[in-house]
Amino acid sequence: MRYTTQDVHDKVKKLLYSLTGITLSDNKDIMISNRIDKLKRNCRYSGDIMDLLISIEQGNYVTEFINSFTTNKTHFFREDFHFVDLKDRVLPSFANSGTKINMYCSASSTGEEPYSMAMTILKAIEDLGRNINASIIATDIDTNVLQYAADGIYRYSKSSKEFPEWIKPQKYFKRRVQKNLAGEEVLIKVNDELKKMITFHVMNLNDSSYPFSQNQFDVIFCRNVLIYFSAEDQNKILKKLFKHLKIGGTLYLGHSENPQDLVHYVKRVGQNIFVKEKEIT
């Protein structure tokens, strides 16, 4: 049976939506072509691409497909004003009360975001001179990036501007120099104090429900992931997440995202920073 490149791309989009809820726009054709090559490498597959996609549709190579087509753009302290708000507004009350703070990081990718959350907690402890009992659950649909995050080893450049002035990376990472064909590269490894705060799990934000209890979290980071979903599905995800956020808890969204229908149930306290005021009725 003959088919066109567009037929393949349409099949990929349909499969990706059915498995993850992620919507790919029409301007993603070059990206799709590149990811198809990645998919075939991941599956060690040299046959007909449409046959492979049909096999995925039948339940084979699903993990490899998801890992090939998810986007994992992230870095430490991305949109750092959210971490400043966490440090200066949210965390002091937990240091004062001694109450444990439960935090959730959705779409945690290779781990930079939850580790930034953990560094912010340690910095607040240092500044306030009081302990903060904290735990972070971090999830992603991509098993490869979750393993990368759990390993906690990153390339580092002195010219990097990922870390804000109030964070000293040497306090939170072990540094080592590794020689390779290109010369030397500096690797930094997350220390155990950060790692023990975070639990990584595989989870699909498009699932009908989440494995958390109602009002479990004091803080939810859901940043720069909703943009990959349709407006309708964004709204559904936000409402599901909202059930797990406590009254008075904080929701952080990405710079191009908005709270959709939740706008009636939250108070905006900063740039894409929202405090839950009441439950959805």
Side-chain angles (χ1 to χ4, degrees):
M1 181 177 179
R2 300 186 67 178
Y3 54 84
T4 66
T5 298
Q6 191 59 53
D7 292 333
V8 173
H9 288 190
D10 289 344
K11 188 77 168 178
V12 166
K13 292 175 184 179
K14 181 181 176 182
L15 262 176
L16 189 64
Y17 183 78
S18 68
L19 292 170
T20 69
I22 293 172
T23 300
L24 292 179
S25 58
D26 292 337
N27 64 352
K28 297 292 185 181
D29 286 345
I30 294 176
M31 183 273 276
I32 291 174
S33 295
N34 292 335
R35 298 292 179 89
I36 285 172
D37 292 337
K38 180 181 178 182
L39 172 65
K40 294 178 79 170
R41 291 195 302 272
N42 288 347
C43 296
R44 296 180 174 86
Y45 187 87
S46 57
D48 184 90
I49 182 59
M50 191 62 86
D51 288 342
L52 176 57
L53 294 176
I54 291 170
S55 181
I56 293 166
E57 198 171 37
Q58 294 169 343
N60 304 305
Y61 304 112
V62 170
T63 298
E64 289 84 353
F65 177 79
I66 290 172
N67 291 356
S68 298
F69 282 94
T70 47
T71 299
N72 297 295
K73 181 181 179 181
T74 187
H75 56 75
F76 289 108
F77 291 94
R78 185 179 185 182
E79 295 165 30
D80 67 323
F81 48 85
H82 284 163
F83 299 98
V84 171
D85 178 78
L86 178 64
K87 176 173 64 74
D88 294 344
R89 183 184 61 83
V90 177
L91 291 173
S93 63
F94 288 89
N96 292 331
S97 68
T99 307
K100 183 179 181 181
I101 180 169
N102 295 300
M103 305 169 69
Y104 174 54
C105 176
S106 66
S108 59
S109 187
T110 43
E112 287 91 335
E113 182 166 275
Y115 285 128
S116 297
M117 294 163 67
M119 280 183 269
T120 302
I121 292 165
L122 292 182
K123 176 58 175 170
I125 291 171
E126 178 186 343
D127 290 349
L128 297 166
R130 291 187 296 278
N131 188 46
I132 299 171
N133 185 9
S135 70
I136 300 167
I137 294 176
T139 67
D140 201 278
I141 195 172
D142 187 327
T143 57
N144 287 338
V145 296
L146 281 174
Q147 185 58 57
Y148 192 105
D151 292 340
I153 300 173
Y154 302 91
R155 292 181 180 86
Y156 178 71
S157 170
K158 286 184 178 179
S159 62
S160 170
K161 295 183 179 180
E162 290 185 64
F163 297 97
E165 291 183 0
W166 49 273
I167 285 290
K168 306 301 179 189
Q170 61 270 24
K171 290 186 176 183
Y172 310 107
F173 298 90
K174 298 173 184 176
R175 178 182 180 275
R176 78 167 185 256
V177 177
Q178 178 173 285
K179 293 185 178 181
N180 54 35
L181 294 176
E184 292 184 345
E185 65 176 352
V186 176
L187 299 177
I188 54 176
K189 183 176 182 179
V190 175
N191 67 25
D192 291 341
E193 194 174 13
L194 288 184
K195 277 192 173 186
K196 70 182 182 182
M197 281 191 216
I198 305 170
T199 306
F200 292 100
H201 295 292
V202 178
M203 198 189 88
N204 184 351
L205 285 173
N206 202 47
D207 286 346
S208 58
S209 62
Y210 301 152
F212 311 127
S213 60
Q214 187 168 349
N215 306 127
Q216 179 171 339
F217 299 110
D218 302 283
V219 169
I220 291 178
F221 275 67
C222 183
R223 308 188 312 155
N224 307 302
V225 60
L226 294 175
I227 55 174
Y228 298 107
F229 297 87
S230 68
E232 181 182 357
D233 288 333
Q234 288 180 32
N235 214 17
K236 290 178 181 177
I237 289 169
L238 283 168
K239 287 180 178 179
K240 284 182 287 187
L241 286 173
F242 206 61
K243 293 178 183 177
H244 304 294
L245 184 65
K246 295 177 184 177
I247 298 288
T250 299
L251 171 67
Y252 294 99
L253 297 179
H255 67 278
S256 61
E257 296 161 342
N258 67 78
Q260 305 274 21
D261 287 353
L262 297 186
V263 70
H264 305 294
Y265 305 93
V266 297
K267 176 176 68 174
R268 181 172 180 156
V269 297
Q271 188 173 347
N272 276 20
I273 305 169
F274 303 92
V275 170
K276 181 175 180 177
E277 292 195 303
K278 56 184 177 179
E279 300 287 356
I280 297 176
T281 52

